[in-house]
Amino acid sequence: MSPNASNRTRVQRSRVARLLLAVLVVVPLAFAALYMWVVWDPTKTVKDMPVAIVNADVPAGEGDDQVHAGADVTANLIDSGSLAFESVDSSAAYDGLRSGHFYFVIDIPTDFSTTLSEIGDATVAPRADDGDIQRQQHTQGVEHRRRGDV
C-alpha cells in the first residue's frame, strides 16, 4: 500500500468520525428542541378543559343570616375562567365524565352551607387520652436509651 493510500484512509476515517460525532450531537439537540417546543407552555389550554360542577347544596339559615355557600363557590369558579366550568345536574355530569366530555366532576354536597355555617359555633375540644401520652413518652424514652442520650 502506498503512503498516499494510507493518508486517504485516514482522511476518510476522520471524515466518518467527524460525521458520526456531528450526528451524535445534532440528533439529541433536535429531539430536545422538539420536546421543548411541544411542552413549552402546558397551561396555555388548561382554561379550555371542561369540568362539571354539581351544586346539590341547600342554603342554611333564614333571612339576612342565610348562607348559600354552594351557589357562591359555583359562581366564583365559573367567573374565575381558570377552567371551563359548567354547572350541570348530577346525571349530566357523570354521563359527561363517562363519555369523556368532562375531565372531572366537582360535587358540592347538600349540607355544604350547613357545615360551613356551623364552623364558627363554640365546640368543646376533645380531652387527650393519658394512656396515649404515657405510651408516647415511654417510646421516646426507649429511643433515647438506644441512642445513648439518657
Side-chain angles (χ1 to χ4, degrees):
M1 195 190 275
S2 71
N4 235 357
S6 88
N7 284 339
R8 281 187 186 167
T9 308
R10 282 188 201 153
V11 170
Q12 287 174 347
R13 285 184 186 164
S14 174
R15 285 183 185 166
V16 170
R18 288 182 198 165
L19 182 62
L20 183 61
L21 182 61
V23 167
L24 287 174
V25 170
V26 170
V27 169
L29 284 175
F31 277 112
L34 179 67
Y35 175 77
M36 291 303 292
W37 176 71
V38 168
V39 297
W40 183 254
D41 188 8
T43 61
K44 187 180 353 180
T45 59
V46 168
K47 67 181 185 310
D48 301 326
M49 190 167 83
V51 176
I53 303 174
V54 178
N55 181 14
D57 184 39
V58 176
E62 295 178 10
D64 291 338
D65 293 333
Q66 189 174 32
V67 177
H68 40 81
D72 292 343
V73 168
T74 301
N76 284 337
L77 287 173
I78 291 171
D79 292 343
S80 73
S82 57
L83 295 171
F85 291 109
E86 296 178 36
S87 181
V88 295
D89 65 352
S90 183
S91 64
Y94 289 101
D95 286 344
L97 187 63
R98 277 189 289 279
S99 71
H101 175 68
F102 293 122
Y103 281 85
F104 59 93
V105 173
I106 298 174
D107 203 351
I108 301 174
T110 56
D111 62 343
F112 187 66
S113 292
T114 304
T115 303
L116 286 178
S117 66
E118 292 173 352
I119 288 177
D121 294 344
T123 58
V124 178
R127 187 168 107 47
D129 183 12
D130 292 335
D132 288 340
I133 294 171
Q134 290 172 358
R135 281 192 292 273
Q136 285 179 337
Q137 289 172 349
H138 173 72
T139 305
Q140 290 170 354
V142 170
E143 277 298 313
H144 288 295
R145 276 186 239 119
R146 283 185 191 155
R147 289 188 305 206
D149 293 346
V150 178

